[in-house]
Amino acid sequence: MSRLLRLLPERLQDDLMHSRTLRSICARAAVVVAGVVPGHQRKLRWLTRALEMSGSLAFHQSIASRLLQQGFFDQRAPWVETVKSSGRYREHFGRRSTLNRSVILKAPGADGEKGLLLMTFEYNWARLCLGLSEEELAWMAANFNFVFSASWSPTDYAVLGLVVACFPGTLFVQSCNYAERQLIEAFHPRLRCLETLPCDWISPGSHNPKPFAERSIDLLMVANWGRFKRHWEFFETLAQLPADLKVHLIGQPAEGRDSNFIRQLARQKGVPQQLTIHERLPIHEVAALQSDARVSVIMSRREGCCVAAVESLMAGCALAMRDDAHVGPVEYINSRTGVRLRPGHLAEDLQNLLQRAPQTEPREWCLQNASGDPSWQKLNRLIREHEIANARPWTQDLAVPSWRPHPTFRLVEEQQRLRPIYQELHSKFPRVFAEDLAENSWK
């Protein structure tokens, strides 16, 4: 479908791709196809694709009931073949088989006390499940709880099904969108969603905000150069705003696009401002620019949790996102933090936000609601209560993670304390746990 859409004008492409009606029609068509194709693997491919296209809780419950009744979750092999044949992760599997962007927050202890492994990005979930034998998976399940942190909404339900088929007991999922939490939990009764999003783990010390009067950047957009970030709409909006605005863009190549493509696109859209474009900046330089900006702009209509949105709040930037965005942190926009841009009124709403931005309190709101400290408290409480309810000991709290922009340890001493379990896992399962995972998980 996406190939056909790209033959249409850009704005029409965009409207159709995000049409709830069209997505619902495609979901129901996928269920029909699943009913006639032969083989478990092909049925699973179409059914999980249907789940990704539909936002209906009743629809998810119907398909989940069908999968449960037919015993699909009791069989690992069909899920393995479905994930392997999808081609979605071919690039990731080709480059490496070991986990990245994952962190061990607790080591197993005595008397059956379980550790905790947190993995971001669905391809890492697949690396764990495909890289270990059934016996090795059983050892991991006996010694660890897992948090499977999604990277997109909807998540990949084929990999999620593989996870359920590989591990017994309760499995914790961190969704990228509050609206998807019910849908994920409806997929299987052993799935339980966290109260947090993957963008909710920014450390207060990651940014050093400038006083608002001293900030030199009017509008900042932190987004890779991919299509879904919708730079074209940002540029069309800039064409309606004053030419003297100081506008910075930070990104990196994606989908064959680089900074030269972005400059050319800006010229085509008639952007009157002198843009400053940064490519492949180190994370500390991104944080410095965020701390020097008045307003941060996110134009995506659908993606994952968009860590840059909460980074902006922590940096003291007023945040602007589309009102119709299916992007997790759009829920964090209120009178204290920014504005939800109305389709058809983007320039007007941005102009108004620039004027009232000095009166907003994005960092203060973020510290209270969406930063690493309250998020750690929620996760630690959830896992502790689960373990106690299952009559397992709890003598050690979780380490505190921080996203920079992927998971690492906030405290070096906690990283050092957990180094032995990293070494043990590397020794047992070198195909999945790299020797340098503790140091390089966030890269």
Side-chain angles (χ1 to χ4, degrees):
M1 185 179 74
S2 60
R3 291 181 181 178
L4 292 175
L5 287 176
R6 290 184 182 183
L7 299 175
L8 301 173
E10 198 163 34
R11 187 173 294 278
L12 182 56
Q13 283 183 43
D14 190 72
D15 288 339
L16 288 174
M17 189 170 294
H18 295 96
S19 165
R20 292 184 180 181
T21 300
L22 182 58
R23 292 177 68 88
S24 177
I25 291 171
C26 290
R28 296 187 181 282
V31 171
V32 172
V33 174
V36 297
V37 296
H40 285 177
Q41 179 261 317
R42 296 179 69 186
K43 290 182 185 297
L44 284 178
R45 184 179 66 184
W46 284 102
L47 289 174
T48 53
R49 184 59 181 149
L51 291 171
E52 292 168 24
M53 297 300 294
S54 173
S56 163
L57 178 59
F59 187 84
H60 275 244
Q61 291 171 331
S62 173
I63 293 181
S65 176
R66 176 174 173 178
L67 293 172
L68 278 168
Q69 290 173 2
Q70 296 181 14
F72 277 99
F73 293 111
D74 301 324
Q75 309 170 59
R76 181 170 172 242
W79 297 100
V80 168
E81 293 307 314
T82 300
V83 172
K84 283 184 174 180
S85 66
S86 73
R88 187 175 289 187
Y89 307 113
R90 189 172 294 122
E91 177 186 358
H92 295 287
F93 294 157
R95 286 186 299 186
R96 62 186 292 172
S97 63
T98 53
L99 300 180
N100 63 2
R101 302 175 179 181
S102 304
V103 63
I104 299 169
L105 297 181
K106 182 175 178 176
D111 302 319
E113 184 166 3
K114 285 193 172 188
L116 182 79
L117 170 61
L118 183 152
M119 290 167 287
T120 65
F121 289 84
E122 289 83 347
Y123 63 78
N124 278 316
W125 314 355
R127 282 172 174 166
L128 180 72
C129 293
L130 299 179
L132 299 181
S133 67
E134 289 192 26
E135 181 180 337
E136 291 168 333
L137 289 168
W139 186 93
M140 287 294 299
N143 287 276
F144 284 89
N145 285 305
F146 306 95
V147 173
F148 299 94
S149 185
S151 64
W152 193 267
S153 183
T155 188
D156 184 340
Y157 283 84
V159 177
L160 192 58
L162 174 62
V163 164
V164 172
C166 285
F167 295 108
T170 301
L171 301 170
F172 298 95
V173 180
Q174 185 167 233
S175 66
C176 279
N177 197 290
Y178 289 110
E180 197 181 359
R181 291 177 62 195
Q182 276 190 314
L183 305 182
I184 289 172
E185 292 184 344
F187 183 57
H188 195 277
R190 290 195 286 108
L191 295 175
R192 184 172 179 185
C193 282
L194 273 57
E195 298 175 41
T196 55
L197 302 181
C199 55
D200 294 356
W201 296 90
I202 310 301
S203 169
S206 62
H207 292 77
N208 185 24
K210 287 186 178 181
F212 209 87
E214 299 177 14
R215 297 188 177 219
S216 64
I217 300 171
D218 293 307
L219 296 173
L220 173 69
M221 186 174 186
V222 180
N224 67 51
W225 310 134
R227 287 175 179 269
F228 71 96
K229 294 293 189 177
R230 306 175 74 254
H231 290 83
W232 62 270
E233 185 172 51
F234 183 45
F235 293 155
E236 288 182 356
T237 304
L238 287 177
Q240 303 172 54
L241 293 173
D244 61 351
L245 289 178
K246 295 179 175 61
V247 182
H248 285 236
L249 292 91
I250 304 174
Q252 59 186 0
E255 301 177 9
R257 302 176 175 205
D258 60 11
S259 58
N260 291 325
F261 176 90
I262 295 298
R263 288 189 180 92
Q264 181 180 358
L265 181 61
R267 287 194 294 270
Q268 290 175 353
K269 297 297 182 180
V271 171
Q273 298 84 9
Q274 184 68 42
L275 303 182
T276 302
I277 298 178
H278 311 267
E279 189 167 79
R280 296 185 186 276
L281 285 187
I283 186 67
H284 67 277
E285 292 185 26
V286 175
L289 290 170
Q290 289 170 325
S291 300
D292 190 31
R294 296 184 177 92
V295 171
S296 174
V297 182
I298 307 292
M299 283 292 187
S300 312
R301 289 184 67 175
R302 180 179 289 270
E303 60 169 287
C305 65
C306 191
V307 174
V310 178
E311 287 177 340
S312 299
L313 297 178
M314 189 63 79
C317 287
L319 179 62
M321 299 176 66
R322 284 185 60 110
D323 182 56
D324 59 356
H326 184 89
V327 183
V330 74
E331 300 295 333
Y332 300 160
I333 295 181
N334 53 57
S335 60
R336 294 179 64 192
T337 60
V339 68
R340 295 172 69 143
L341 302 170
R342 298 168 297 163
H345 302 273
L346 305 183
E348 175 189 346
D349 290 347
L350 265 183
Q351 186 73 65
N352 289 338
L353 181 59
L354 282 167
Q355 293 173 0
R356 70 174 185 87
Q359 285 75 54
T360 60
E361 300 175 313
R363 181 174 171 86
E364 291 76 8
W365 185 92
C366 187
L367 288 170
Q368 296 167 5
N369 298 280
S371 68
D373 290 332
S375 296
W376 176 84
Q377 292 169 6
K378 292 174 184 177
L379 176 61
N380 194 71
R381 181 175 62 249
L382 174 67
I383 304 300
R384 182 183 68 237
E385 291 176 354
H386 174 266
E387 291 302 279
I388 292 172
N390 284 275
R392 285 190 288 266
W394 183 272
T395 64
Q396 182 74 51
D397 284 339
L398 305 178
V400 182
S402 178
W403 263 236
R404 290 289 288 157
H406 306 296
T408 185
F409 294 95
R410 184 188 296 184
L411 303 175
V412 174
E413 51 266 38
E414 290 191 326
Q415 182 184 46
Q416 294 301 323
R417 174 171 59 81
L418 287 161
R419 189 171 298 279
I421 187 59
Y422 278 91
Q423 293 170 343
E424 180 181 351
L425 289 173
H426 170 65
S427 176
K428 284 180 175 293
F429 315 121
R431 298 185 309 278
V432 173
F433 292 90
E435 189 173 12
D436 61 352
L437 177 60
E439 288 76 24
N440 294 321
S441 65
W442 57 278
K443 296 180 179 178

